[in-house]
Amino acid sequence: MLVSELKPFEDILEYLDGEKNVFLVGCKGCAEACQTGGEAQVLEMKQKLEEEEKAITGYTIIDFACEKALVASKLRGHWSEVMDADSLLVMSCGIGVQATSAVIDKVVHPACNTISLGGAVGTWPGSERCRQCGDCVLDLTAGICPLTACTKGLLNGPCGGAKDGKCEFEPEVRDCGWHLIYERLKKLGQLDKMREIAPLKDRSKMQPPKHLRSTIMWALEQEEREVAPR
Amino acid sequence: MSLEQALSKGKFVITAEVGPPKGVDIEEMLEDAELMRGRVDGVNVTDQQSSVMRLGSLAACHLLKQRGLEPIYQVTCRDRNRIALQSDLLSAYVLGIENVLCLTGDYVSLGDHPDAEPVFDLDSVSLLQAAKALQQGKDLAMKELKGSPRFFLGAVVTPGADPLEPQLIKMEKKVKAGAQFFQTQAIYEPERFEQFMQAVNHLKVPVLVGIILLRSAAMARFMNKNVAGVHVPESLIEEMDQAEDKAKKGIEIAARLIRDMKGTCQGVHIMAIGLEKRVPAILDAAGL
């Protein structure tokens, strides 16, 4: 199971600044289990965004948003709603955000911070990786994670080591992550995002709180909390 | 005269680099540095270049400073986290070292300890921010310093990168973060360099054009194939190939490049990579 938490709503509103129409993507995998991207949360997000005068063109909830093929086929089922949107808000872990970004040429925003991959893992990812940094930066980087796509995990752009779009580490096989980010930002008309100096990474957020080290325990506690009020 | 003073006086500045040894025998490094005395405005000391474990650049800079030379302390983010990097910057300042060149650093796989942990807690931009914060009396945790250092901060850029735009974007960020001068990756095409200089003109920051001394046609071909952002044109490779005296030809080409690019930038940075003894000859041939 992968544990994520919703980003503060103000952060999400900031991402959506200047955009009117939004398509929501939820996840029935781990995100639902940790109550950040299941149907209830997606509907709640829809309502909150509508209160902020955003138009929700539609939503879908995917069994494992980390799997690109599933994301692509689900989005095809909502094609006109997706096309009508300025951007997609993805309520899943970092892999789901990247998988969505990989299958559609639209701006994709993360709604969650990914905290921990542990316990019974339900993820089904392709080439996308999430470092569970607890402070997702995918909004700045066109839905491609600089921590995992860049070998050095750089946050402010490419180093001088990339040649022909390839990384100095394993240049035969490995793309320069920042080359991919640059190309995609350019395609989406978002190059200004690359001009912002990235905030210093708070590495302490990479250490999940002790109670999350065992996600099974966490799930049980979650269950108890829900049962208790009844 | 310090590097900063030389640049502010509008002098065409000259810097060259020396590499600390792998070990503690510092004689040759000091000999190389001695050759630069009176000829250059600053001597760069590389920080475990190409990720090969060596004597540290801070200690080597200190040795140069003791001998009255003007060191440029190269610092990379590869091996140290933000605590160590900030501490090293403070250490440099108390040893009288003010010129700091902030780099990301090569990946560990390029060197002789490919199994080492790559750190990269900071990157070149945030390292500049850290140095600037220290100058303003605070560290990255916003904690007050007891006495603050003063630096002349440098950074690097690759004018021959393709595409160039990501490099320009990052260069702009480096200026915003505190970079006061730039030394470039080697470039062998004066026209391309001139275009680059036009593109960065608005940044109003001094640029020292990078020159790597050629030793053979094979070396040029090797760089074309393996070194990011470096392109030696075929005509120069042929010149090297046909030259009987390769050493002389390499010096001649370097001097010609300096003369061709001198008018478009504020200085030159010579990387002789093991052939430091030829630096004075390059400067003589370039009329510097």
Side-chain angles (χ1 to χ4, degrees):
Chain A
M1 179 193 293
L2 192 147
V3 179
S4 60
E5 64 179 11
L6 274 174
K7 281 179 175 279
F9 190 61
E10 313 82 74
D11 288 7
I12 293 172
L13 281 181
E14 206 172 297
Y15 297 161
L16 299 174
D17 190 34
E19 294 170 358
K20 170 83 182 149
N21 303 307
V22 183
F23 185 86
L24 302 180
V25 177
C27 178
K28 269 189 230 166
C30 318
E32 184 179 51
C34 55
Q35 301 182 334
T36 53
E39 184 148 27
Q41 293 79 40
V42 170
L43 291 174
E44 194 183 326
M45 180 66 76
K46 180 173 181 290
Q47 192 191 336
K48 280 171 84 174
L49 288 174
E50 280 167 350
E51 283 165 17
E52 298 292 334
E53 319 234 302
K54 301 285 178 195
I56 306 305
T57 61
Y59 70 89
T60 183
I61 296 158
I62 304 174
D63 306 282
F64 301 119
C66 48
E67 171 47 50
K68 274 183 289 211
L70 292 178
V71 178
S73 76
K74 271 283 194 178
L75 291 183
R76 264 197 297 275
H78 294 264
W79 201 243
S80 62
E81 296 160 25
V82 172
M83 284 296 119
D84 284 345
D86 300 314
S87 69
L88 287 75
L89 180 67
V90 182
M91 301 169 66
S92 76
C93 71
I95 304 176
V97 181
Q98 292 179 78
T100 308
S101 175
V103 299
I104 187 156
D105 284 337
K106 281 261 177 195
V107 173
V108 170
H109 305 288
C112 300
N113 289 324
T114 306
I115 297 170
S116 169
L117 252 169
V121 176
T123 54
W124 198 11
S127 53
E128 294 75 23
R129 293 289 176 270
C130 173
R131 196 169 282 172
Q132 311 139 68
C133 73
D135 187 15
C136 189
V137 296
L138 286 166
D139 187 72
L140 278 175
T141 55
I144 299 170
C145 176
L147 294 181
T148 55
C150 168
T151 309
K152 297 176 186 172
L154 303 181
L155 293 168
N156 278 302
C159 67
K163 192 169 171 65
D164 302 324
K166 295 289 177 188
C167 178
E168 67 187 27
F169 175 60
E170 301 184 327
E172 331 59 56
V173 293
R174 195 179 287 263
D175 291 322
C176 165
W178 272 100
H179 184 74
L180 300 177
I181 293 169
Y182 163 73
E183 290 292 344
R184 190 166 160 81
L185 283 172
K186 199 162 72 165
K187 195 184 212 173
L188 296 171
Q190 289 194 311
L191 258 190
D192 277 349
K193 295 219 168 182
M194 197 165 154
R195 295 180 216 278
E196 290 171 37
I197 294 183
L200 270 188
K201 200 85 192 137
D202 179 354
R203 312 272 176 194
S204 70
K205 289 186 176 165
M206 288 193 179
Q207 291 296 330
K210 193 172 181 304
H211 70 283
L212 288 184
R213 293 278 174 104
S214 162
T215 48
I216 292 176
M217 182 59 88
W218 176 84
L220 288 173
E221 284 169 5
Q222 203 63 24
E223 183 70 23
E224 276 168 21
R225 213 173 301 155
E226 260 172 55
V227 171
R230 285 178 210 159
Chain B
M1 189 171 23
S2 72
L3 178 66
E4 185 174 14
Q5 284 165 340
L7 277 167
S8 69
K9 281 193 175 160
K11 179 181 185 296
F12 184 79
V13 306
I14 304 160
T15 59
E17 71 178 26
V18 296
K22 189 170 180 73
V24 293
D25 183 349
I26 54 177
E27 209 170 311
E28 197 183 353
M29 177 188 73
L30 292 177
E31 267 173 37
D32 288 346
E34 212 45 61
L35 290 172
M36 321 268 180
R37 189 184 293 279
R39 301 298 309 262
V40 303
D41 301 287
V43 181
N44 283 58
V45 183
T46 49
D47 179 8
Q48 311 189 76
Q49 197 169 17
S50 305
S51 309
V52 172
M53 193 291 294
R54 295 163 187 277
L55 177 70
S57 59
L58 181 52
C61 281
H62 176 55
L63 294 172
L64 299 192
K65 189 78 196 175
Q66 278 182 326
R67 285 157 178 79
L69 292 156
E70 174 81 1
I72 300 169
Y73 173 38
Q74 295 197 186
V75 186
T76 73
C77 301
R78 177 190 56 233
D79 312 310
R80 282 154 291 179
N81 69 7
R82 66 188 78 177
I83 300 174
L85 287 169
Q86 293 179 97
S87 171
D88 283 354
L89 288 172
L90 296 181
S91 303
Y93 179 77
V94 300
L95 293 172
I97 298 157
E98 295 196 6
N99 307 312
V100 181
L101 189 77
C102 299
L103 306 108
T104 296
D106 289 323
Y107 197 63
V108 290
S109 62
L110 269 57
D112 59 358
H113 288 60
D115 43 1
E117 166 86 355
V119 179
F120 302 109
D121 180 24
L122 301 184
D123 59 22
S124 49
V125 176
S126 45
L127 177 58
L128 285 161
Q129 287 181 308
K132 197 172 166 186
L134 295 175
Q135 296 193 79
Q136 291 164 349
K138 292 220 164 99
D139 66 11
L140 285 177
M142 300 303 285
K143 298 282 186 278
E144 206 91 25
L145 302 182
K146 188 170 178 179
S148 48
R150 206 196 146 276
F151 299 116
F152 187 49
L153 297 174
V156 299
V157 63
T158 306
D162 180 27
L164 182 61
E165 192 177 23
Q167 283 287 320
L168 297 178
I169 291 173
K170 195 160 182 183
M171 182 177 177
E172 218 163 294
K173 285 164 108 164
K174 288 178 180 182
V175 173
K176 244 190 266 173
Q180 295 162 283
F181 71 97
F182 280 79
Q183 293 177 318
T184 81
Q185 175 58 289
I187 184 144
Y188 295 88
E189 297 152 295
E191 279 162 36
R192 199 159 166 187
F193 182 67
E194 201 178 332
Q195 287 164 9
F196 165 79
M197 286 305 294
Q198 277 164 6
V200 303
N201 187 36
H202 66 287
L203 296 176
K204 306 261 177 277
V205 61
V207 174
L208 280 56
V209 64
I211 303 280
I212 293 180
L213 177 62
L214 294 177
R215 60 177 81 194
S216 65
M219 176 217 188
R221 287 198 195 96
F222 176 85
M223 288 201 298
N224 280 354
K225 189 161 176 273
N226 298 298
V227 182
V230 176
H231 176 245
V232 186
E234 205 48 48
S235 61
L236 290 184
I237 297 179
E238 218 160 279
E239 253 189 83
M240 283 305 290
D241 218 3
Q242 282 165 10
E244 262 174 47
D245 187 340
K246 310 279 183 208
K248 205 173 144 200
K249 187 47 111 180
I251 291 168
E252 182 198 316
I253 290 175
R256 192 200 312 154
L257 287 168
I258 295 172
R259 283 197 306 269
D260 287 350
M261 296 191 275
K262 192 171 183 247
T264 46
C265 60
Q266 289 70 41
V268 61
H269 175 54
I270 300 171
M271 294 164 273
I273 317 184
L275 301 177
E276 283 73 19
K277 307 231 164 13
R278 296 183 192 168
V279 170
I282 298 173
L283 296 174
D284 290 340
L288 292 171

